[in-house]
Amino acid sequence: NDHVLPLFREHCFRCHGDESIEGGLRLTSLTSALLGGDSGEPAVVPQRAAASELVRRLLSDDEGERMPPSGKLSDDDRERVIQWSDQGAPWVRQLDSAAVTLSPLTDDASFLRRVYLDTIGIPPSEAELRRFLTDSIADKRERVIDQLLSDPRWADHQVSFWQDILGENPNILKPSLGNTGPFRWFLYESLRDNHSIDRMVTNLLMMRGSEREGGSAGFGLVADNDAPMASRGHVLASAFLGIDLQCARCHDSPYHSTTQRDLFSLAAMLSRKSVTVPPTSSVSAGFFEKNKGRESLIRVTLPPGENVEPKWPFADVTGAVNDGSLDAWVRDPNDPRERLAALVTMPSNQRFAGVIVNRFWKRLIGAGIVEPADDWEKGQASDENLLAWLSRQFVSSGYDAKHVQRLILTSRVYQRRAESNNRLLPPDERFFVSPDRRRMSGEQVVDSLFAASGQPMKVEELTFDPEARRPATTMISLGRPTRAWQFSTLSNERDRPSLALPRAQAVTDVLEAFGWIGSRQNPITEREVSPGVLQSGVLANGVMVTWITRVSEGSELAELALTIDSPEALIDSVYLRFLGRFPTTQERDLYLAELSDGFEDRALPSERIEPVQRPEPLSYVSWSNHLAAEANRILLERERRARSGDPVDPRLSPQWREVFEDLVWAAVNSPEFVWIP
């Protein structure tokens, strides 16, 4: 359990697991290991490691026989397997008592912060938190969940989830590799208007409207790609069917049952005609000639130049069949794309409902019932009954995302104290006795900072052509962001510095530090969220956090400082805004000693208030003038102003104001700020 089974999971299960059984051998239990594979020889002989075929293959120097194919295990790992086999190959399931012990329910303050972040993507305001904490109504948690699910900001928090799994990548300067249209606006409006998920997905796959101005047609725009609909087939299979077709772009998958023909059949359905496999979507014969030492794991069964007809390849996996019965579900029975949209979303496709509810569960609990969430052939449900029940609820509700999310949000498992690590457990040990501890996404960090401080998100329009002189086929505008999901990659041709957007860059620096990817070349289910020094650095010294923690002229923090009754109340307010709780006595006393000094005299008399000096406005720099020498001077000045931030509020004593800013900075840099309670 501690040494050998983890080795099998890491090195063996993708070929000899429950879903993929190369050579007829499964290594997920002692019984199957004793049965062996197609050779009829047992893989493991208890107490006789020297006679075990598994051990022989691990030790072999023959490249054609050695396992795993990627190379030898370390000497220590091989020794562990030998000792295990000699000891009788014990395979006793051992569970830590913590794995089956229910966590207590969260306190009200932690619950409210969690549910706000998980529904509308920002923390509760101070007033909302105080009101909830003093509310004595028994069903107040259910009431606030219903309130948040009906909040228009729910759509803002949902968009980034769909942008990731659908690989939205709208470069704002000229088409580039993997550049899609900005179908973000289609997603946002569908979610804001509470369209059912089957309707939203159907409209997405039909790809109608404007490619570059927010229509679902943007999903089909993949620049610099000689098989764009194959890339869209990869995305839709991953997002909606839990089928991984990434390898199938060039060859049959070595670790899945899917083939290259499956992918190009989907591409043909999306194209509404047969498609030809381009030469780049293959593996050259030279690859196999260079690697003759053992049989290749990959096979090319679809030669370049072959025509592939529109065909639904996943009837067995999904239960949805492309026959005459489908005609009643479509307007044009002769349209392959419409038939595909119906096959993906119709109720008989049990995989579609299961994949979507599993993704919702993973997002709110921290781990899917099936992991990986985008590859069900590798994954195994930890609770088939729970998954089936949630899927039925989803379908019977009319594919209502809010209905399923409400079921999860009101459940005890969601409302328990986050103490588990379900994501790293095998399916048979994933009991969901509590949610996983989760760090905020990049979008939640950015939006929370602006919301808690009350600072407006003052960044440039996301375009390199503010004069709108260039055609949309080369440049687009994504507007001025007001929420983090509205940002995109800011890269430009040859990284020309005069086209930089320094205020927007300050925000994307924070987003990227916390796992956001502005240029999504492929669908994303798992972001890289491991803690690192960059995250600490961007919160401690980043330009955007300078704006957030500064008590700038006329800001919400300045008004708070001027109107608050006492330093104790000010400390409470900062903690409630940024950390979602009252400070402990020790914390309050620590800051009280500093803020009390000068509190009564913090507001300067009118005769000592110096007027704020406003800088001269700068000219626009765009594609039409960015090569001029003046453009670089303007850009350098814009960068300087961005780093400096807004001027401080002149009504406050500078010495006392700086202490207050230190309090806000300390709250932002508290480790608990970036964690969802």
Side-chain angles (χ1 to χ4, degrees):
N1 284 277
D2 294 334
H3 302 293
V4 176
L5 198 54
L7 286 176
F8 286 177
R9 288 195 187 103
E10 181 179 356
H11 298 286
C12 308
F13 280 7
R14 65 179 180 178
C15 291
H16 304 292
D18 286 323
E19 300 297 335
S20 180
I21 313 174
E22 293 286 331
L25 175 62
R26 180 187 282 118
L27 290 175
T28 55
S29 70
L30 181 60
T31 301
S32 57
L34 292 175
L35 288 174
D38 295 340
S39 68
E41 296 292 327
V44 175
V45 179
Q47 297 181 331
R48 293 176 58 203
S52 296
E53 180 69 8
L54 172 67
V55 172
R56 189 182 73 79
R57 293 291 192 103
L58 291 179
L59 299 175
S60 176
D61 292 322
D62 185 338
E63 212 176 296
E65 285 194 327
R66 185 184 63 226
M67 291 294 171
S70 57
K72 287 185 177 182
L73 296 178
S74 70
D75 291 342
D76 288 344
D77 287 341
R78 285 185 290 169
E79 184 59 31
R80 288 190 183 101
V81 176
I82 293 170
Q83 290 179 2
W84 167 75
S85 181
D86 277 338
Q87 291 168 2
W91 204 304
V92 180
R93 188 182 187 194
Q94 297 173 343
L95 291 177
D96 190 324
S97 60
V100 290
T101 302
L102 294 175
S103 297
L105 294 178
T106 60
D107 58 82
D108 280 347
S110 297
F111 164 77
L112 195 69
R113 182 172 173 83
R114 180 189 297 178
V115 77
Y116 262 74
L117 288 169
D118 280 339
T119 51
I120 63 174
I122 59 175
S125 68
E126 179 183 351
E128 289 167 332
L129 185 50
R130 287 181 182 274
R131 187 163 54 247
F132 186 78
L133 293 178
T134 57
D135 192 346
S136 59
I137 299 175
D139 64 344
K140 66 180 183 180
R141 293 194 177 194
E142 288 75 13
R143 290 190 180 196
V144 80
I145 288 169
D146 290 337
Q147 167 201 323
L148 292 169
L149 289 175
S150 62
D151 191 311
R153 294 172 294 178
W154 177 83
D156 286 295
H157 182 53
Q158 297 291 310
V159 175
S160 58
F161 164 76
W162 291 100
Q163 286 173 310
D164 272 6
I165 65 176
L166 296 174
E168 191 239 20
N169 179 29
N171 196 304
I172 59 178
L173 173 60
K174 298 187 177 182
S176 60
L177 183 63
N179 179 208
T180 70
F183 56 91
R184 53 181 53 192
W185 302 110
F186 159 77
L187 293 174
Y188 173 74
E189 290 165 6
S190 298
L191 294 162
R192 180 200 61 195
D193 297 341
N194 201 30
H195 288 181
S196 62
I197 297 301
D198 64 327
R199 177 182 175 183
M200 185 180 84
V201 172
T202 296
N203 289 334
L204 178 79
L205 297 184
M206 291 304 295
M207 294 184 280
R208 293 184 281 239
S210 167
E211 289 181 338
R212 295 173 173 85
E213 296 177 0
S216 65
F219 176 66
L221 176 66
V222 192
D224 292 344
N225 191 313
D226 56 5
M229 289 304 144
S231 75
R232 300 301 87 188
H234 166 213
V235 171
L236 80 85
S238 167
F240 309 130
L241 304 175
I243 297 174
D244 186 351
L245 291 175
Q246 184 169 5
C247 292
R249 178 64 184 264
C250 297
H251 52 78
D252 295 350
S253 175
Y255 303 119
H256 299 82
S257 60
T258 50
T259 66
Q260 194 177 10
R261 186 173 295 278
D262 293 336
L263 175 60
F264 279 88
S265 296
L266 288 182
M269 295 189 81
L270 287 169
S271 300
R272 295 178 162 134
K273 61 182 180 180
S274 63
V275 296
T276 302
V277 181
T280 53
S281 289
S282 189
V283 180
S284 67
F287 170 84
F288 300 101
E289 293 172 1
K290 289 180 183 178
N291 297 274
K292 293 181 177 180
R294 64 181 303 146
E295 183 181 357
S296 175
L297 287 173
I298 62 173
R299 294 177 176 83
V300 177
T301 58
L302 196 60
E306 182 166 334
N307 281 338
V308 181
E309 296 295 324
K311 182 181 179 182
W312 172 242
F314 298 127
D316 292 341
V317 173
T318 64
V321 181
N322 188 14
D323 57 19
S325 64
L326 189 67
D327 293 355
W329 292 83
V330 296
R331 293 178 178 177
D332 182 0
N334 297 315
D335 183 354
R337 185 184 295 178
E338 189 175 357
R339 294 184 78 87
L340 174 62
L343 287 161
V344 169
T345 60
M346 63 194 305
S348 62
N349 185 340
Q350 299 177 10
R351 177 65 73 87
F352 173 67
V355 166
I356 298 299
V357 299
N358 185 61
R359 286 187 178 277
F360 290 162
W361 180 274
K362 177 182 178 69
R363 196 173 193 221
L364 294 172
I365 303 299
I369 301 169
V370 176
E371 286 288 354
D374 56 355
D375 187 358
W376 283 34
E377 189 167 349
K378 282 186 179 178
Q380 176 184 343
S382 59
D383 191 328
E384 294 278 5
N385 292 330
L386 174 60
L387 181 64
W389 181 79
L390 283 171
S391 299
R392 289 195 300 272
Q393 289 286 324
F394 186 43
V395 176
S396 63
S397 70
Y399 296 91
D400 186 347
K402 291 183 179 180
H403 175 75
V404 174
Q405 291 185 23
R406 186 184 190 279
L407 290 172
I408 300 172
L409 294 169
T410 56
S411 69
R412 286 191 177 90
V413 62
Y414 175 81
Q415 296 185 26
R416 294 192 185 281
R417 203 160 59 203
E419 298 177 338
S420 294
N421 208 348
N422 297 291
R423 179 67 185 83
L424 300 180
L425 294 173
D428 58 350
E429 295 178 21
R430 199 181 303 137
F431 299 113
F432 294 110
V433 295
S434 72
D436 284 17
R437 290 207 70 198
R438 291 177 288 138
R439 297 165 66 84
M440 284 192 201
S441 67
E443 292 91 333
Q444 286 171 321
V445 170
V446 165
D447 287 335
S448 294
L449 287 170
F450 280 104
S453 67
Q455 294 279 11
M457 188 181 282
K458 295 188 295 186
V459 300
E460 304 92 344
E461 179 185 358
L462 299 191
T463 182
F464 297 122
D465 183 30
E467 301 153 326
R469 292 184 178 183
R470 311 287 295 182
T473 52
T474 58
M475 294 184 193
I476 61 173
S477 172
L478 297 180
R480 291 184 183 273
T482 57
R483 289 289 299 258
W485 66 265
Q486 296 168 3
F487 287 87
S488 181
T489 177
L490 303 178
S491 60
N492 67 74
E493 190 178 66
R494 302 185 187 93
D495 290 325
R496 301 183 185 190
S498 56
L499 288 174
L501 303 173
R503 292 190 68 90
Q505 187 66 57
V507 177
T508 58
D509 285 346
V510 180
L511 288 170
E512 290 172 346
F514 285 92
W516 175 83
I517 299 174
S519 179
R520 304 175 182 90
Q521 299 294 322
N522 290 300
I524 299 169
T525 294
E526 297 277 359
R527 289 185 180 180
E528 177 53 58
V529 293
S530 301
V533 68
L534 184 60
Q535 296 164 359
S536 300
V538 81
L539 290 182
N541 302 304
V543 172
M544 193 197 92
V545 175
T546 299
W547 309 338
I548 297 299
T549 58
R550 174 166 297 164
V551 182
S552 53
E553 182 193 18
S555 67
E556 199 169 298
L557 290 178
E559 296 302 325
L560 176 68
L562 287 165
T563 58
I564 203 80
D565 293 333
S566 66
E568 293 92 341
L570 186 60
I571 297 167
D572 287 351
S573 180
V574 169
Y575 265 76
L576 290 169
R577 285 166 172 262
F578 288 93
L579 300 179
R581 63 174 177 84
F582 283 100
T584 65
T585 301
Q586 183 180 10
E587 289 168 334
R588 187 182 287 110
D589 290 345
L590 174 66
Y591 293 112
L592 187 58
E594 302 296 331
L595 282 171
S596 296
D597 186 14
F599 179 80
E600 296 300 330
D601 301 320
R602 68 194 184 283
L604 296 177
S606 57
E607 63 271 15
R608 290 182 55 193
I609 298 175
E610 298 181 3
V612 174
Q613 299 297 318
R614 303 290 177 188
E616 291 292 325
L618 297 171
S619 300
Y620 276 110
V621 175
S622 70
W623 188 258
S624 63
N625 64 7
H626 78 282
L627 295 177
E630 180 69 3
N632 287 331
R633 187 197 68 79
I634 293 172
L635 185 277
L636 290 172
E637 176 60 18
R638 285 169 54 190
E639 287 185 339
R640 188 196 67 78
R641 293 183 185 184
R643 288 195 300 271
S644 298
D646 294 336
V648 297
D649 198 297
R651 297 172 293 172
L652 288 164
S653 161
Q655 293 81 3
W656 185 89
R657 173 184 49 77
E658 289 176 3
V659 174
F660 176 38
E661 289 174 339
D662 287 345
L663 167 62
V664 177
W665 183 92
V668 169
N669 283 274
S670 169
E672 71 179 278
F673 172 76
V674 298
W675 288 94
I676 297 175

